Structure formats: C-alpha cells, structure tokens
C-alpha cells in the first residue's frame, strides 16, 4: 500500500502565501515524479507544478514566478510554496506521485485526498 497525505491548505487573503506539503509513505521502492494538481468547482483537474527525480521542475504558466515546487528525497515529501496568491488560485489541490512499489514491475500513479486552498478577502 502506498499513501499520499497532503497538508497546509487554508484560507488566505489575496497577496498572501501558503505552503503545501505532501508525504508519500508505505511500500515504496522508488519515487519518480511528484506533482501538484488543482481543481476548482466546475473545472477540470489541471497540473500546477511538477518535479522529477533528477530535480527538474515545470510549472503551469499561470503560477510561474509565484509558486515553487521542491522535494525532500529522504522523506519522499514534496512541497509547494505559493506566494502572491490570487482569488483564481482557489481550488482543491491534489498531490500526485509516480511510484514503484516493492514487488511491482512498473511505476504507477498515486493520488492524495487533496487539501483546500481558498484565497479571499
């Protein structure tokens, strides 16, 4: 079993900051990419930022320069530092990780339950 648990969401005023965390645990042999997605009501789930095992990162255009993704390889945790938050950043944020479990021959995608981010004055 592999589990992803997110934390760090909440209510913040426009211009504020939040830091999301996602810890992967369980029967993990190897973690490849770790990503953050978000989904606002009525919208599809979109990729916000991602980081691969070599450390390369990529971001959605809408968050470039404001969000920073980072990773602690020792504890299989990914972070999303969100600065200069805007009301349009309001969404449910999900962690996604591409993980190879012990005994598995392939990498699979795992999802957390998500954490809510509400940017409002």
């Amino acid at each position: 079993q592999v589990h992803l648990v997110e934390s760090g969401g909440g209510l913040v005023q426009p211009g504020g900051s939040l830091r999301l965390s996602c810890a992967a645990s369980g029967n993990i042999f190897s973690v490849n990419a770790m990503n953050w997605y978000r989904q606002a009501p009525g919208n599809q789930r979109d990729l916000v930022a991602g980081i691969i095992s070599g450390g390369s990162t990529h971001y959605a255009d809408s968050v470039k320069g404001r969000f920073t993704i980072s990773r602690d390889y020792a504890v299989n945790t990914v972070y999303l530092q969100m600065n200069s938050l805007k009301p349009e950043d309001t969404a449910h944020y999900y962690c996604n990780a591409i993980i190879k479990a012990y005994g598995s021959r392939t990498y699979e995608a795992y999802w957390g339950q998500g954490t809510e981010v509400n940017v409002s004055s």
Side-chain angles (χ1 to χ4, degrees):
Q1 290 280 1
V2 173
H3 302 281
L4 300 182
V5 178
E6 301 100 330
S7 61
L11 173 64
V12 63
Q13 292 186 341
S17 298
L18 283 175
R19 189 191 194 210
L20 305 183
S21 299
C22 170
S25 63
N27 191 34
I28 297 172
F29 174 76
S30 176
V31 180
N32 191 348
M34 298 189 82
N35 308 294
W36 287 98
Y37 285 75
R38 68 185 180 188
Q39 186 170 20
N43 290 357
Q44 65 182 19
R45 189 175 297 187
D46 293 322
L47 179 66
V48 176
I51 183 167
I52 63 174
S53 58
S56 295
T57 59
H58 56 275
Y59 298 90
D61 288 342
S62 59
V63 306
K64 283 180 181 177
R66 301 188 298 122
F67 290 10
T68 303
I69 190 169
S70 61
R71 184 170 162 182
D72 186 335
Y73 293 85
V75 292
N76 290 326
T77 299
V78 65
Y79 305 96
L80 186 67
Q81 178 66 43
M82 305 186 295
N83 299 328
S84 302
L85 282 161
K86 304 175 181 180
E88 51 263 43
D89 294 317
T90 296
H92 204 75
Y93 283 70
Y94 295 91
C95 177
N96 162 265
I98 311 303
I99 292 171
K100 186 176 182 180
Y102 280 103
S104 175
R105 295 184 178 182
T106 61
Y107 284 87
E108 297 180 30
Y110 292 87
W111 292 88
Q113 293 297 310
T115 185
E116 195 72 20
V117 172
N118 190 343
V119 185
S120 174
S121 55

